[in-house]
Amino acid sequence: MRRLGVVLLLVALLLDGFGPARPASARGSVVSRVLQLARGADRPLPTTLWYPSPLTGRHPLILFSHGLGGSPRQFAPLAAGWAEAGYVVAAPAYPRTNARVRVDRRDIVNQPADAAFVIEAVRALDGVSGDVLAGHLDVERVAAIGFSAGGTTTLGLFGPGHPSYLRAGISISGRRPPAGFGGAPAPLLFLHGDRDRVVPIRAGRQAYGMAPTPKQFVTIAGARHGEFLRPGDSRYPRVSGQILAFLAAKVPVG
């Protein structure tokens, strides 16, 4: 299985045309591109990367997971902000829950394995000669963040035997993971609106109650399901600032 994963990664890199980076888009000092990854023929995982440019030194990795019917593009302002702060951000479009497919919520149980695969694939770029990220990834410091079903996916990464390089996690409006927590405790931050009707705050508190310490639960007063993640929302500066402050404390750049 490991050999198959390596083959799929090599095919994905060839499809992406690694070498001197040709940015798909740029926002100030942030560059983005898409890796055509796949965890098997029936699990395509096109993954958008955001990273600062030019790259100097080594940068921690953030794995971001979207919610049901979502896409990485929806969260581009957040991801670009993290990249501006010095992180490399990887956001896969999950095969059965993204905006371009008929959503199958039963597939959420498979997404933590997808997320883990993407983390490994991006970490491997640190050793790919000619790739713009080669020599610039801090492969021993990875954070995971997710919204809604992506928050559930994120928490699913922190199960028994999770790798030591997974240093912190943030669940935004998520539920408890498909399996229990385990392995070495890592700091976890939970953010949830107290008027959320899609994923009620009690579901977020249940996930928080199951999680090992260290952990923190932040209630966003008057908020529903994720509107506070849009730059036009009045709560966006505060929430995005809380996320960045947590990252800076638990998975600092440099």
Side-chain angles (χ1 to χ4, degrees):
M1 291 299 293
R2 182 177 179 82
R3 184 175 181 179
L4 175 60
V6 172
V7 170
L8 287 171
L9 172 59
L10 290 175
V11 169
L13 291 172
L14 289 170
L15 288 171
D16 189 57
F18 73 91
R22 293 184 298 170
S25 62
R27 178 191 175 209
S29 59
V30 172
V31 170
S32 70
R33 77 193 232 228
V34 177
L35 295 177
Q36 297 298 334
L37 303 177
R39 188 172 71 93
D42 64 340
R43 297 199 71 80
L45 292 162
T47 298
T48 305
L49 300 180
W50 289 266
Y51 47 86
S53 180
L55 284 163
T56 59
R58 290 191 176 269
H59 301 260
L61 173 64
I62 295 173
L63 188 287
F64 179 79
S65 297
H66 64 76
L68 294 179
S71 70
R73 182 179 298 181
Q74 286 180 299
F75 301 92
L78 268 177
W82 300 333
E84 287 172 355
Y87 296 91
V88 172
V89 183
Y94 290 104
R96 303 216 187 348
T97 64
N98 74 77
R100 295 187 176 184
V101 301
R102 184 175 181 179
V103 170
D104 181 359
R105 64 178 60 247
R106 296 170 300 178
D107 199 56
I108 296 171
V109 69
N110 297 311
Q111 291 186 175
D114 291 334
F117 175 86
V118 171
I119 290 172
E120 290 292 350
V122 177
R123 288 177 77 244
L125 294 178
D126 190 61
V128 175
S129 178
D131 191 272
V132 69
L133 295 178
H136 292 297
L137 285 170
D138 188 343
V139 298
E140 295 304 319
R141 290 194 296 159
V142 178
I145 306 175
F147 167 66
S148 193
T152 305
T153 298
T154 294
L155 296 178
L157 287 167
F158 293 87
H162 71 76
S164 61
Y165 60 67
L166 198 56
R167 300 298 184 90
I170 303 176
S171 173
I172 306 168
S173 307
R175 299 179 183 271
R176 63 183 180 86
F181 293 94
L188 296 175
L189 174 65
F190 295 76
L191 298 166
H192 217 115
D194 62 2
R195 295 188 180 179
D196 192 332
R197 294 184 177 180
V198 178
V199 180
I201 192 170
R202 64 178 179 273
R205 290 193 180 280
Q206 182 186 42
Y208 172 78
M210 294 174 60
T213 56
K215 58 185 177 180
Q216 180 182 4
F217 193 98
V218 175
T219 300
I220 305 172
R224 294 184 293 275
H225 195 61
E227 74 276 10
F228 49 84
L229 297 179
R230 296 193 293 265
D233 189 271
S234 62
R235 289 157 295 203
Y236 178 82
R238 178 168 56 87
V239 173
S240 60
Q242 287 174 319
I243 293 171
L244 263 179
F246 179 82
L247 291 170
K250 308 304 181 184
V251 193
V253 175

